Amino acid sequence: MVTLTIDGQKVTVPANSTVLEAAEAAGIHIPTLCYLKDVSQTGSCRVCVVEIGGRLQASCVFPVSEGMEVKTNTPLVRESRRTTVELLLSNHPQECLTCLRNQNCELQRLAQELNIREMRFEGARSDFPIDASSPSIVRDPNKCILCGDCVRVCSEVQGIGVLDFVNRGSEAEVSPAFGKKLAEVDCVNCGQCASVCPTGALVVRSEIQDVFKAIYDPEKVVVAQIAPAVRVAIGEEFGLKPGEVAMGQMVASLKKMGFNKVYDTSFAADLTVLEETHEFLERVQKGERLPQFT
């Protein structure tokens, strides 16, 4: 264990901690953008900088040491954070009102937190083509802030690794290899990249308009199928206590929207149990090979 001082407060943490982890343990807020727990840290966005010995350091990667003194809110720190976010905004599409991540965007939240009210920097902006080839994910490189969260979660958590940094300078972007589209590589459409993307650079493809078109088609019977995990996850999205089951509310909502039938995905598992039971009994009666694999 080591003891350091953060904003005048003594903090004792394990010796392998970072300054950011020490601050979190002490209840001291340090804004972050590229920081993502459970994966490797790069300190690339520089939003989490703090002042140590008169110099700015990225708190997410800077290790603690005995007697260290950290300041998280000096004029130097605040100006650095503001300038970093302003530079990111200068190369970011001003589409907040129509962006899928509006009011759920880390860059937007940071601009609010840092009280950014004007665009000081203007210049040429990136102009990359939008990749809508995937059936599940839409990739807009123009909204990418090069934090690398999607790259790390795809490689280190999912073990797929279809995204990485390509090119340099103003032409740098996160992309599949050789300029290919997501549909042309081994993307498994898990959606983890979209879930960790702090902006709207990677979003889940919206089918809302197609769904309503089908609902209001008198010739169609529209069926909703709910995956088991959704009954809990959707509750958190609407402010319910984590872990609370919202199956009843969800079914009622879907029926009100106009769905003709609502099924639980696990209903198919029940059917499978019945089918494999019949098959097992037939195998036993006929003396066929066992064990039986489902």
Side-chain angles (χ1 to χ4, degrees):
M1 305 295 287
V2 300
T3 300
L4 65 156
T5 303
I6 305 178
D7 293 341
Q9 179 178 336
K10 294 288 185 181
V11 183
T12 301
V13 293
N16 62 346
S17 302
T18 63
V19 171
L20 179 62
E21 291 169 337
E24 287 181 345
I28 298 172
H29 172 64
I30 297 177
T32 61
L33 194 53
C34 71
Y35 177 72
L36 189 63
K37 286 186 177 181
D38 303 323
V39 297
S40 60
Q41 306 305 328
T42 60
S44 58
C45 76
R46 316 307 287 182
V47 169
C48 71
V49 292
V50 294
E51 191 173 339
I52 302 174
R55 299 181 62 183
L56 294 176
Q57 305 287 354
S59 62
C60 68
V61 293
F62 201 84
V64 298
S65 60
E66 186 66 35
M68 175 186 287
E69 289 194 12
V70 180
K71 298 177 182 178
T72 70
N73 197 37
T74 64
L76 179 63
V77 168
R78 291 198 303 272
E79 182 59 27
S80 174
R81 290 175 183 164
R82 279 179 59 89
T83 301
T84 295
V85 174
E86 285 178 308
L87 287 170
L88 288 172
L89 291 172
S90 72
N91 189 38
H92 200 76
Q94 305 301 306
E95 302 173 358
C96 294
L97 290 177
T98 56
C99 180
L100 194 65
R101 291 296 298 271
N102 186 29
Q103 298 185 331
N104 186 30
C105 170
E106 289 297 304
L107 187 59
Q108 191 180 62
R109 180 189 60 79
L110 268 176
Q112 175 71 21
E113 182 178 333
L114 297 173
N115 197 35
I116 296 174
R117 294 290 177 263
E118 60 180 343
M119 300 292 292
R120 287 196 297 165
F121 308 113
E122 292 187 11
R125 289 181 178 170
S126 301
D127 186 18
F128 297 109
I130 295 174
D131 178 5
S133 63
S134 167
S136 306
I137 299 165
V138 177
R139 187 173 64 89
D140 185 352
N142 301 296
K143 296 179 181 178
C144 179
I145 58 172
L146 303 176
C147 66
D149 286 355
C150 60
V151 174
R152 287 173 288 160
V153 78
C154 186
S155 176
E156 300 175 23
V157 177
Q158 296 303 100
I160 306 299
V162 299
L163 294 170
D164 210 337
F165 292 97
V166 297
N167 302 324
R168 292 178 176 273
S170 61
E171 296 182 356
E173 65 172 310
V174 171
S175 167
F178 309 115
K180 292 186 176 182
K181 297 180 178 180
L182 279 176
E184 300 172 336
V185 294
D186 293 332
C187 173
V188 297
N189 299 298
C190 68
Q192 289 302 306
C193 58
S195 71
V196 301
C197 178
T199 62
L202 286 156
V203 295
V204 175
R205 178 186 290 277
S206 174
E207 308 287 358
I208 292 175
Q209 297 305 321
D210 291 333
V211 169
F212 276 115
K213 182 179 179 181
I215 285 175
Y216 287 100
D217 184 343
E219 301 297 319
K220 289 186 177 180
V221 175
V222 186
V223 180
Q225 178 178 315
I226 303 170
V230 177
R231 70 188 70 190
V232 174
I234 197 170
E236 290 188 51
E237 182 68 21
F238 286 93
L240 298 181
K241 186 173 63 175
E244 188 171 335
V245 177
M247 191 67 173
Q249 297 97 314
M250 182 163 45
V251 172
S253 299
L254 290 169
K255 296 289 266 185
K256 279 190 174 184
M257 287 169 60
F259 283 88
N260 300 105
K261 302 286 184 181
V262 181
Y263 288 104
D264 192 321
T265 298
S266 56
F267 172 70
D270 295 336
L271 296 179
T272 303
V273 170
L274 293 173
E275 290 296 325
E276 63 193 14
T277 300
H278 287 300
E279 183 180 340
F280 178 74
L281 291 174
E282 286 183 8
R283 286 194 185 197
V284 172
Q285 291 169 356
K286 295 179 180 179
E288 294 180 354
R289 289 186 299 171
L290 293 171
Q292 171 184 311
F293 294 92
T294 175

